[in-house]
Structure formats: structure tokens, C-alpha cells
Amino acid sequence: AAVARAAPPGVLPLDDDATAALHLLLSGDSAADRLGLAAGAPPQEVAAEAHRRALLWRAMEGDVPRRNRPHVVLVREMYEQLHRQAAQT
């Protein structure tokens, strides 16, 4: 919930694509939904996309004000969790 509140303009530096991706991450029903992939996407595709997005958020960690960094770290960790889960299947 804290991440969702931090997403409005000016709090987290997110462009429209990143905002849409964050909305999917927080509201999707399945891992594929949460990554914007087709239903039934193979685990390898889910793992690769989750890893790609985790790297994007890791890169963002150093570019946000210290007070916002916990939100960015949380989103990165959510993507990393999706990656681990998909890689185990």
C-alpha cells in the first residue's frame, strides 16, 4: 500500500510505462498478469521478465531520494520474488 501511495507524480520518479507496470505488479492475479505477460506464459519467460524488471528497479535505487528508497527496494524485491518462484518451476 505504501508503494501505491508513493507512485503519484513527484514522489517516485516513474514514467507512464513504469507506473503501468507497478499497477500490474500490485493488482495482477498471477505472476504472468503481474508482469503484463500473456496468460499461461512459460516459467522461463516469467523468470526472465521478472529478472529484467528487478534490474531496472535496482538501477533506480541510487537515483531516488533516501526517503523514497524503501519503496523502490520493496518493488525490486517483489520482482525478485516472482523471479525465484518462476525459476523453481
Side-chain angles (χ1 to χ4, degrees), residues 30-41:
S30 68
D33 287 343
R34 295 174 73 192
L35 295 167
L37 300 174

Side-chain angles (χ1 to χ4, degrees), residues 6-82:
V11 180
L12 285 179
L14 303 178
D15 60 18
D16 290 343
D17 290 338
T19 300
L22 180 59
H23 176 74
L24 286 173
L25 176 67
L26 298 174
S27 64
D29 292 327
S30 68
D33 287 343
R34 295 174 73 192
L35 295 167
L37 300 174
Q44 301 89 338
E45 184 179 353
V46 171
E49 183 62 16
H51 180 69
R52 184 186 73 79
R53 292 186 187 201
L55 292 176
L56 291 172
W57 282 83
R58 180 178 297 280
M60 192 188 310
E61 287 176 27
D63 295 335
V64 296
R66 177 175 281 173
R67 73 181 188 284
N68 295 334
R69 197 165 298 140
H71 301 303
V72 176
V73 169
L74 178 61
V75 173
R76 176 187 46 84
E77 289 173 346
M78 292 172 72
Y79 281 124
E80 288 173 346
Q81 180 180 6
L82 288 174

Side-chain angles (χ1 to χ4, degrees), residues 20-21 38 84 89:
R84 281 191 302 276
T89 56

